[in-house]
Amino acid sequence: MFWQRLTAAGIDRTGRDIVISTFGAHHRIPVLANGLGEVVTGGALQSPGAVGGAGLAPDHLPALLFGPHGIEGLTRIRPDVYAADEELFQALFPPLTADVLSYYLPYR
């Protein structure tokens, strides 16, 4: 899904990792010429923005992945959510809607 969103947005990050930090850990997704590599998880990353990454508190991860705000909306309403490369993360994490909400996300 992330690869489809990257290519649909016309974003070429070949050779560069997508970095998402949940403060206690960070996750790197290598961008290869023909798709995405396996997720590599590491420890705390002091400044994910310095490598073009995004940071968010771990309790906001479900809202980022499945919620109606996407990264853009979450950065507006949550001070502990940010993305250094806005274009990239807006393409990867757009707002999502559902006809039937069969899950609960704690957000405002």
Side-chain angles (χ1 to χ4, degrees):
M1 172 184 62
F2 287 148
W3 179 249
Q4 291 171 345
R5 290 177 181 173
L6 274 178
T7 56
I11 298 173
D12 182 13
R13 287 187 54 99
T14 303
R16 295 172 50 199
D17 293 347
I18 298 167
V19 178
I20 302 167
S21 172
T22 55
F23 301 136
H26 75 282
H27 312 280
R28 292 179 179 270
I29 305 170
V31 180
L32 310 172
N34 60 347
L36 300 177
E38 290 191 32
V39 176
V40 177
T41 300
L45 183 60
Q46 184 71 24
S47 180
V51 293
L56 68 150
D59 56 331
H60 298 320
L61 192 56
L64 176 67
L65 296 173
F66 307 113
H69 299 294
I71 189 82
E72 185 177 9
L74 284 176
T75 59
R76 279 196 315 266
I77 61 175
R78 298 291 185 196
D80 54 357
V81 177
Y82 67 93
D85 186 340
E86 292 179 1
E87 180 184 21
L88 169 68
F89 287 100
Q90 286 174 8
L92 291 176
F93 301 106
L96 299 176
T97 57
D99 292 332
V100 177
L101 296 177
S102 59
Y103 55 86
Y104 172 75
L105 295 176
Y107 61 86
R108 292 181 188 182

